[in-house]
Amino acid sequence: MSKFPLLAFLVVFSVSANESPPTSPVPTPTNEIILDLQSEDPYVQNNLGWKYESGNGVPRNDSEAVKWFRKSAEQGNPYGQFNLGWMYENGRGIPHDLTQARQWYQRAATQGLGYAQEAMLRLGQQ
């Protein structure tokens, strides 16, 4: 009896057994993101909000993005303020509210953030 069919079976089986399992469509948070979740730094919080808003390294979640943008914004980070204003303006993760959008844009614009100044002009307020 030939050993070739058994050998061919073992080769095919070993190749298929070593294949990577299919990747999950939902990203798993990395150690870096887990550390970011514990940070009180408003710039790290803003970055984490952006990750949730875009789905970069974490599952996309607008409500979670708003939470982190707000933490950043309330500590005076102009980028967090701008991003929170943008979420209000576009009704992403929170109800659409141009009054709130303008208030957050104004805070960021006062600190010299050009994007916020442009947003204020776009919304008809200087």
Side-chain angles (χ1 to χ4, degrees), residues 54 69 86 99 101 106-107 111:
S54 65
F69 288 146
W86 189 89
T99 301
Q106 181 62 51
R107 290 181 186 187
Q111 295 186 66

Side-chain angles (χ1 to χ4, degrees), residues 37 66-67 70 104 118-119 122:
L37 290 168
V66 167
K67 173 181 130 181
R70 185 177 306 283
W104 287 108
E118 291 170 14
R122 185 180 72 248

Side-chain angles (χ1 to χ4, degrees), residues 14 27 34 37-38 54 69-70 83 91 93-94 97-98 101 109 111-112:
S14 66
I34 292 168
L37 290 168
Q38 301 166 2
S54 65
F69 288 146
R70 185 177 306 283
N83 288 326
I94 46 178
D97 186 333
L98 290 180
Q111 295 186 66

Side-chain angles (χ1 to χ4, degrees), residues 92-115:
R92 298 268 308 269
I94 46 178
H96 178 260
D97 186 333
L98 290 180
T99 301
Q100 283 290 319
R102 284 184 186 101
Q103 289 175 0
W104 287 108
Y105 285 151
Q106 181 62 51
R107 290 181 186 187
T110 299
Q111 295 186 66
L113 188 65
Y115 298 121

